[in-house]
Amino acid sequence: MQIKPTVFLITGLSGAGKTLLLQSLEDEGYYTVDNIPPHLIEPFLNILCTSNVKKLAIVSDIRWKNPDKLAELFQNVESLAKCNMEIRKVFLKADKTELINRYKKSRRTHPLGLSLENAIDEEMKVMSEIESYCDIVIDTSSTEPTEFKKRFFQMIKEDMKKLKLNFISFGFKNGIPQISDYVFDVRYLPNPFYFPQMYELTGLDMKVMEFLEKFKETHETVERIANLAKFIQDKYTESGRLEAYFCIGCTGGQHRSVYVAQKVYEILKNEGRDVSINHRDIER
């Protein structure tokens, strides 16, 4: 079954969040193009008919200083496609006070080249017709970027990509991984290292696992880290963050940290979550 291409044609007021939205869609697997002139959108759309790209997001706005051509495009864009595709037109706006504040913070000049207030007034006037042609209109005034992204994906009924959880076991004597976001010290667990029959084994060996599983604190540690990881994955997904690194350490990085990291990884993997595992110091 052939997948119908999806296109988001994005426009709106300068400073209303078009760049943020484009980046968010890129994170979700869309091919993105910013500041494309209206007359080049037709060939971009028709590339989808013969390419492997099936999700496209493009921004065209007042920077090309031809609002009449832009309005014509948004009114008739569906007729430009030479194959069947879903085209959704998005207009972003914000109130004048909010736009002024954003420009002051960014210290950028308005593309119309007028004084800031006059430029915003002029853009609001010339873009009002284009807003009427769009099927998704979002006012981003007083909206945090995280909430804006969450709201948009709810509107289009598309789930944001889940945060990927990367688990790394390590030994403190070899240093904490620089990439770590969260570090857990499990050196309080009983240490198999001091038992001759387990000295040369690792936390992946049955004898070590059976030893550690005799202790209540081992099970509690695994459960607490797993629950925290799931909570963080769910919450950070709403923000659009893509990865987080959970680093679990013991003294040498061969027994306790390996066991705990592996068990947490398996719990989340069995729940269908996006996870990876790396035992950094297991061979040292």
Side-chain angles (χ1 to χ4, degrees):
M1 180 180 177
Q2 191 171 10
I3 300 175
K4 182 167 68 172
T6 300
V7 179
F8 284 101
L9 179 57
I10 303 165
T11 195
L13 303 181
S14 304
K18 299 187 296 292
T19 299
L20 174 64
L21 180 56
L22 203 65
Q23 292 171 343
S24 300
L25 286 164
E26 183 176 2
D27 289 341
E28 298 302 318
Y30 283 78
Y31 183 82
T32 61
V33 187
D34 190 18
N35 197 19
I36 184 171
H39 64 277
L40 290 183
I41 288 180
E42 180 176 0
F44 260 92
L45 292 179
N46 290 313
I47 286 174
L48 296 184
C49 299
T50 56
S51 75
N52 292 326
V53 176
K54 296 304 176 186
K55 301 201 296 184
L56 174 67
I58 49 183
V59 170
S60 189
D61 54 30
I62 201 65
R63 284 173 287 180
W64 281 88
K65 299 178 177 62
N66 193 339
D68 292 336
K69 185 68 175 177
L70 193 62
E72 181 183 341
L73 167 72
F74 272 78
Q75 187 176 16
N76 303 303
V77 65
E78 289 83 2
S79 65
L80 301 179
K82 292 184 172 62
C83 65
N84 188 23
M85 63 180 64
E86 181 181 10
I87 300 176
R88 306 187 72 176
K89 295 171 284 189
V90 181
F91 190 95
L92 303 183
K93 63 181 182 178
D95 62 48
K96 183 176 179 179
T97 301
E98 181 66 25
L99 292 174
I100 290 173
N101 289 335
R102 291 177 186 177
Y103 265 99
K104 286 182 177 178
K105 290 178 181 178
S106 69
R107 299 183 180 179
R108 301 193 67 188
T109 58
H110 196 282
L112 290 182
L114 305 172
S115 67
L116 183 55
E117 289 198 38
N118 289 338
I120 292 173
D121 288 338
E122 179 65 18
E123 187 177 26
M124 286 179 167
K125 182 173 71 174
V126 300
M127 295 295 284
S128 60
E129 178 187 357
I130 298 170
E131 179 182 349
S132 67
Y133 299 137
C134 294
D135 39 54
I136 299 175
V137 178
I138 302 177
D139 188 333
T140 66
S141 304
S142 303
T143 304
E144 293 293 324
T146 297
E147 184 59 32
F148 166 46
K149 290 188 286 186
K150 179 181 176 182
R151 179 180 169 195
F152 175 79
F153 284 99
Q154 286 175 339
M155 291 180 71
I156 68 173
K157 295 181 172 56
E158 184 172 315
D159 292 332
M160 295 178 70
K161 187 181 293 182
K162 279 276 189 183
L163 175 87
K164 182 176 182 179
L165 294 174
N166 303 286
F167 292 97
I168 301 175
S169 68
F170 72 96
F172 278 98
K173 72 177 185 180
N174 300 313
I176 298 173
Q178 291 185 346
I179 202 170
S180 61
D181 293 302
Y182 304 91
V183 176
F184 301 89
D185 184 349
V186 297
R187 286 177 291 187
Y188 55 83
L189 295 177
N191 194 352
F193 176 84
Y194 294 110
F195 295 83
Q197 66 271 31
M198 291 183 285
Y199 171 81
E200 295 183 349
L201 301 180
T202 75
L204 301 180
D205 289 301
M206 184 60 66
K207 189 170 289 188
V208 174
M209 290 190 284
E210 290 175 347
F211 170 80
L212 288 170
E213 287 171 0
K214 293 177 182 177
F215 304 95
K216 180 181 177 181
E217 55 264 40
T218 302
H219 299 282
E220 188 174 355
T221 297
V222 170
E223 182 180 0
R224 285 175 179 264
I225 295 177
N227 287 338
L228 178 61
K230 288 187 281 187
F231 176 80
I232 288 173
Q233 185 178 50
D234 293 340
K235 292 303 176 183
Y236 261 130
T237 294
E238 297 176 0
S239 74
R241 185 174 177 180
L242 298 179
E243 288 190 297
Y245 288 83
F246 278 62
C247 299
I248 301 170
C250 61
T251 304
Q254 295 175 310
H255 297 101
R256 295 166 291 179
S257 63
V258 169
Y259 172 86
V260 172
Q262 185 69 32
K263 286 299 179 182
V264 174
Y265 164 79
E266 290 173 359
I267 289 171
L268 273 63
K269 185 72 173 177
N270 290 337
E271 293 183 6
R273 293 176 178 265
D274 190 7
V275 290
S276 73
I277 185 73
N278 174 30
H279 299 299
R280 190 191 72 176
D281 298 333
I282 196 170
E283 299 295 337
R284 293 198 182 194

